[in-house]
Amino acid sequence: PIGLLTGGDDEASSSGSDNQPAAQTRGDSNIAVQTRGQAIIARQAGKPQLFVTATNLRPSGDRSAYQVWLYNSDTERKSLGAQVTDAQGNLQAGAPLPSDYRNYKFIDVTNTAVDGQNLQTGRSVLRGLIQLRNKPVTRGTGENRVTLLGQIELLPLPGSG
């Protein structure tokens, strides 16, 4: 649905990757200088959902993942789940949004240590301000009908890692 909502073009995305500069890391940071992400808030089948993509993250290991949050502060946040990256550090995650998602200001992505069934949240590596569209965009019909409610840029935080 992300390509459908944002007008992604497979041909455009598959060409030109050789022209992009290589990612560089900042000092001892866990994130690359070019780490970026995007969050899409969409409504499908009457239910709001969140889709997150990010590139150039430190690849997940056997004991790490990235957790996505609705976030106001370290004491006021709600987990939407955790996901691992591929070997290149690309993250793709999706989750249904709770009915109170509008009470949060940010989408936050944290580095998370995994020990069996336990997760230990680390520092935030990406964050974006939740801003919903004044005029949502709807595409498709019937079961394939999707409404884009918001598109959020996720950026590295100073000192994140």
Side-chain angles (χ1 to χ4, degrees):
I2 292 174
L4 171 70
L5 292 172
T6 61
D9 183 352
D10 289 342
E11 290 179 34
S13 65
S14 65
S15 64
S17 62
D18 294 336
N19 296 333
Q20 295 184 7
Q24 300 174 352
T25 59
R26 281 187 267 146
D28 62 353
S29 175
N30 288 338
I31 64 170
V33 172
Q34 292 183 350
T35 299
R36 294 287 184 268
Q38 178 177 333
I40 301 288
I41 296 177
R43 183 174 49 241
Q44 188 169 24
K47 298 178 183 177
Q49 299 179 34
L50 179 72
F51 302 96
V52 173
T53 60
T55 58
N56 293 322
L57 292 167
R58 172 181 266 176
S60 302
D62 291 341
R63 297 187 180 264
S64 67
Y66 289 90
Q67 195 161 4
V68 178
W69 303 85
L70 291 171
Y71 183 89
N72 286 333
S73 69
D74 285 347
T75 58
E76 188 181 352
R77 61 184 175 182
K78 185 178 285 190
S79 175
L80 298 176
Q83 184 62 271
V84 296
T85 67
D86 64 15
Q88 290 75 39
N90 299 311
L91 176 73
Q92 293 185 359
L97 284 169
S99 59
D100 66 346
Y101 78 92
R102 289 184 174 105
N103 294 337
Y104 293 88
K105 296 178 186 172
F106 301 98
I107 300 295
D108 198 55
V109 178
T110 60
N111 208 344
T112 302
V114 179
D115 183 17
Q117 296 294 323
N118 299 320
L119 299 176
Q120 292 182 341
T121 301
R123 292 184 178 173
S124 296
V125 294
L126 293 170
R127 185 172 295 160
L129 180 64
I130 296 175
Q131 292 181 308
L132 299 179
R133 297 174 65 98
N134 290 332
K135 296 181 181 180
V137 176
T138 300
R139 298 281 188 262
T141 59
E143 291 179 11
N144 295 325
R145 184 181 176 116
V146 177
T147 301
L148 174 63
L149 303 174
Q151 188 170 346
I152 302 152
E153 183 177 19
L154 302 175
L155 298 172
L157 298 173
S160 62

